[in-house]
Amino acid sequence: MRVVLSALAFLGAAILSNAPSIAQSSPERQQFGRLTVETVARDLDHPWSVAFLPDGRMLVTERAGRLRLIGNGNATAVSGVPEVRARGQGGLLDVALDPDFATNRLIYLSYAEPREGGLGGTAVARGTLDERAARLTDVQVIFRQQPGYSGNNHFGSRLAFAPDGTLFVTLGERFDLRDKAQDLDNHLGKVVRINRDGSIPADNPFVGRSGAKPDIWTYGHRNPQSAAINPRTNVLWTIEHGARGGDEINISKKGANYGWPVIGYGTHYSGAKIGAGTTQKGMEQPVFYWDPSIAPSGMVFYTGNRYPGWQNSLFTGALAGQMLVRLQLQGDRVIREERLLTDMGARIRDVRQGPDGLLYLLTDASDGRLLRLIPAGS
């Protein structure tokens, strides 16, 4: 099935100042093929991530440093968010609920953290969400990427909880420091695995190794902005930005080296060849890659039944590609790619499955939107 959407329909309009209200309007829907697009909230300032609360309301991060609680006709700014370094690609990034959120009310935020001397780095904090007061309390930083750096690019960063309750954090190599992605004495270009309080799991691959950070799970990454646990295998998958070509989907293997910047598909922005080319002994190959780049961000394994024929699919947004990509899987292989929303003209930053079985998207813009995809006839 090839579905092309060329416009948006408006379900409602969120006024996202500090006022805790959403201005509702009569729904306007436009149907394309078997899909309808609805705007759940608009005027979001470069939204980055969305997470669903048990009652169906949503937490949305805005890169400038705001966390929004959206639902039931309201769009409320949540107080207590850590200070962020909102420059370039940095700011408030991912949001995730603790696996035991129903009882402990903990949420996790990844963000570009300001540090002394004009430096910054990706950090993860957790805090207790008081939904009635729209605030975070008892906020603690549980992880800090080391070293800090003054640049404004390639922070990562996605959060994904494994079935055993440990937390994966994807980290960019900060662009200028790409060679450090191959070194184990830093967090640049890495995926780390930590416990929910920030402590180190004893079975991490480099625990006890001299000169290696014990929280590292995999290394040799460029700028991974997508992460999700495959529900069929319970294994982490990531997607990272390539340079001029070479966006990669990788299955995360304990202790593995994914090659950047020694190997990669595509070329550097200058047109120069990447390192040793596309293969090197001891370095992993991607499951799938894009050349030219689409700049993927956000991902979800679809497990619902609301869209006929979309079961066993992996979805990712595309920033430069301005589309939603559906990848049909057969085991751990990609057997088909379908490009959706290509006429919408929007940078898609995140894609998630809601508790209603529908897909929700965030568009990356100063007037960004939270969108819902609805099958025709629903």
Side-chain angles (χ1 to χ4, degrees):
M1 177 183 68
R2 175 83 174 176
V3 180
V4 178
L5 307 181
S6 59
L8 293 174
F10 293 91
L11 175 65
I15 301 176
L16 294 176
S17 63
N18 287 325
S21 64
I22 287 180
Q24 297 288 343
S25 63
S26 300
E28 295 179 9
R29 294 185 175 186
Q30 290 192 0
Q31 184 174 312
F32 301 88
R34 299 168 62 188
L35 287 178
T36 298
V37 178
E38 291 184 341
T39 298
V40 178
R42 64 174 175 85
D43 296 330
L44 294 157
D45 186 5
H46 294 281
W48 219 88
S49 179
V50 57
F52 293 87
L53 298 177
D55 62 6
R57 288 183 295 169
M58 290 159 278
L59 292 170
V60 174
T61 58
E62 293 174 287
R63 200 172 66 207
R66 285 186 296 269
L67 176 66
R68 298 292 187 179
L69 178 60
I70 296 176
N72 300 329
N74 295 307
T76 307
V78 178
S79 64
V81 174
E83 181 184 1
V84 307
R85 188 176 187 267
R87 301 179 189 174
Q89 296 174 357
L92 184 58
L93 305 174
D94 210 5
V95 57
L97 272 60
D98 189 277
D100 297 318
F101 176 83
T103 55
N104 64 24
R105 318 310 287 177
L106 287 174
I107 70 165
Y108 297 72
L109 298 169
S110 69
Y111 58 101
E113 178 188 51
R115 300 178 186 173
E116 290 185 4
L119 304 182
T122 303
V124 178
R126 73 173 187 176
T128 303
L129 178 65
D130 181 344
E131 294 128 287
R132 291 188 177 182
R135 67 180 178 183
L136 287 179
T137 61
D138 301 321
V139 176
Q140 304 173 10
V141 178
I142 62 169
F143 172 81
R144 286 186 168 96
Q145 181 187 41
Q146 298 294 345
Y149 179 61
S150 60
N152 297 322
N153 297 320
H154 293 197
F155 292 90
S157 162
R158 293 289 176 182
L159 306 173
F161 279 101
D164 65 2
T166 57
L167 176 62
F168 291 108
V169 186
T170 71
L171 302 165
E173 33 71 293
R174 305 303 305 281
F175 188 70
D176 298 320
L177 305 180
R178 62 179 66 91
D179 289 339
K180 293 185 178 296
Q182 286 294 311
D183 299 331
L184 295 175
D185 62 353
N186 65 77
H187 294 128
L188 303 172
K190 310 299 193 294
V191 174
V192 299
R193 176 176 176 253
I194 57 177
N195 292 316
R196 286 185 267 180
D197 62 357
S199 61
I200 309 300
D203 60 344
N204 270 6
F206 301 109
V207 168
R209 178 167 168 175
S210 177
K213 294 286 188 185
D215 41 14
I216 293 174
W217 181 255
T218 60
Y219 64 108
H221 300 284
R222 187 172 183 271
N223 188 24
Q225 289 192 2
S226 310
I229 302 295
N230 185 328
R232 184 181 60 83
T233 62
N234 290 329
V235 172
L236 175 71
W237 287 40
T238 64
I239 309 179
E240 63 188 78
H241 288 209
R244 190 174 172 183
D247 304 328
E248 296 182 359
I249 301 178
N250 289 303
I251 298 176
S252 193
K253 300 177 183 179
K254 181 178 180 178
N257 181 355
Y258 289 84
W260 181 256
V262 178
I263 63 172
Y265 290 85
T267 64
H268 288 296
Y269 293 126
S270 65
K273 178 182 175 182
I274 292 173
T278 58
T279 61
Q280 183 88 319
K281 186 177 180 180
M283 296 182 178
E284 300 294 322
Q285 285 292 301
V287 173
F288 187 84
Y289 69 91
W290 288 272
D291 186 11
S293 293
I294 64 168
S297 186
M299 68 185 289
V300 66
F301 290 91
Y302 184 69
T303 61
N305 58 10
R306 299 295 298 272
Y307 310 94
W310 283 8
Q311 289 76 18
N312 197 35
S313 293
L314 171 64
F315 289 85
T316 186
L319 299 168
Q322 298 189 350
M323 60 186 166
L324 176 67
V325 176
R326 182 179 78 88
L327 298 171
Q328 186 176 339
L329 303 178
Q330 187 174 81
D332 288 338
R333 295 189 304 115
V334 175
I335 61 172
R336 184 188 177 198
E337 178 186 17
E338 181 179 11
R339 299 188 169 193
L340 310 169
L341 307 180
T342 54
D343 290 348
M344 195 169 71
R347 292 164 49 89
I348 296 178
R349 172 65 72 180
D350 199 14
V351 52
R352 304 286 173 134
Q353 181 178 324
D356 54 7
L358 298 175
L359 291 174
Y360 289 73
L361 314 176
L362 290 174
T363 64
D364 177 37
S366 58
D367 57 350
R369 291 162 288 187
L370 172 62
L371 307 175
R372 176 166 50 206
L373 299 187
I374 299 176
S378 296

